[in-house]
Amino acid sequence: MTQSAVSQQIKSLETHLGQALFFRRPRALELTVMGLNYVPVVREAFQTLSRGTRMLVDGGVANELHIQTNLTFANHWLAPRLPGLYAQHPDIHLHISTAIWDPMERVEEADIEIRFLISPEVDLNAERLTWDHFYPVCAPDYQVDLKQINQHRLFYCTAMMTTWDAWAENQTIAKCPKITHCQVLGTALAAAEAGVGLAMAHDCTVKNSIDSGRLVRPFTHSVAMPEAYYLTLNPRAERNPQASQFADWLRTEMAADYNE
């Protein structure tokens, strides 16, 4: 840029800020107090931009496999199994994005999405992963009797069809009027694990806690759940070796769970 162009840019910036950043000297510019205070902010902004650019150029983001799923699945199914994934594929590099509930629209930047749905949209190329049942869980030493279940604190995840009343159908117990609603299933499971009540859970999100002995099923009755988890791949990910490795590992893990 020419000297006059630089001067014009400085003038535009000062007009925008409403503050003078420089003293105009005969052969130089000198920072005002406001300019000196602004320097660290500008320096940090340029350093952030520089780090982001280096990350892209060095392949930090370009080589990531972007996984999108909801918070419950990420915390209670995916995270406990990551050691096995990395043991098989030590070079795989994941970027895991989570939401409380699945987004309404497809997440364009995601290579792979694992969605919790009643049924996929017609135009969505989705592969079903789970065939779960739902049932109550509680801490191992929690004392509960089916006949007095309504006297206990019952936790449930909002906006799911796996309700306490749905589980109670066809059983000789009354409907469950006092339910503690949680926005995230993990909150309900944590409450049950802490021994303050029972949580309504389903297979894939509670298996790890049951296998480790942190939670137990106090009753044998379970109900097939209408929702399921589905795997979808962004078309561009079909040529990504990491996407294929992750999808194959996911299918194998799920198949092992449901063939036990």
Side-chain angles (χ1 to χ4, degrees), residues 25-45:
R25 304 305 185 194
R27 295 183 179 275
L29 292 172
E30 182 181 333
L31 286 167
T32 63
V33 173
M34 184 61 65
L36 288 169
N37 290 334
Y38 197 34
V39 165
V41 178
V42 174
R43 182 183 293 122
E44 178 63 27

Side-chain angles (χ1 to χ4, degrees), residues 104-164:
M104 295 295 291
E105 302 290 336
R106 184 180 182 91
V107 180
E108 290 300 326
E109 65 270 22
D111 299 303
I112 289 177
E113 290 187 81
I114 304 165
R115 285 181 169 270
F116 186 67
L117 306 167
I118 296 176
S119 61
E121 298 175 7
V122 175
D123 60 346
L124 184 64
N125 185 17
E127 176 183 347
R128 184 167 177 169
L129 295 171
T130 62
W131 287 261
D132 281 1
H133 287 72
F134 63 98
Y135 39 80
V137 294
C138 62
D141 57 350
Y142 189 83
Q143 301 298 315
V144 57
D145 182 89
L146 185 61
K147 294 180 180 179
Q148 283 81 40
I149 193 170
N150 286 343
Q151 300 175 17
H152 296 261
R153 294 184 178 90
L154 307 178
F155 293 84
Y156 158 73
C157 181
T158 306
M160 293 178 63
M161 299 183 70
T162 55
T163 65
W164 280 91

Side-chain angles (χ1 to χ4, degrees), residues 215-229:
L215 290 171
V216 297
R217 292 178 57 181
F219 315 114
T220 59
H221 178 64
S222 66
V223 180
M225 65 186 301
E227 304 103 325
Y229 280 97

Side-chain angles (χ1 to χ4, degrees), residues 214-256:
R214 300 195 306 273
L215 290 171
V216 297
R217 292 178 57 181
F219 315 114
T220 59
H221 178 64
S222 66
V223 180
M225 65 186 301
E227 304 103 325
Y229 280 97
Y230 289 82
L231 168 67
T232 68
L233 275 71
N234 190 306
R236 70 168 182 274
E238 294 177 358
R239 297 183 297 275
N240 183 341
Q242 290 194 72
S244 299
Q245 290 171 353
F246 182 87
D248 288 344
W249 169 82
L250 180 65
R251 295 183 185 105
T252 300
E253 289 289 310
M254 285 294 183

Side-chain angles (χ1 to χ4, degrees), residues 179-201:
I179 308 297
T180 300
H181 292 264
C182 303
Q183 197 171 19
V184 180
L185 179 57
T187 305
L189 297 179
E193 192 173 325
V196 296
L198 298 97
M200 188 57 64

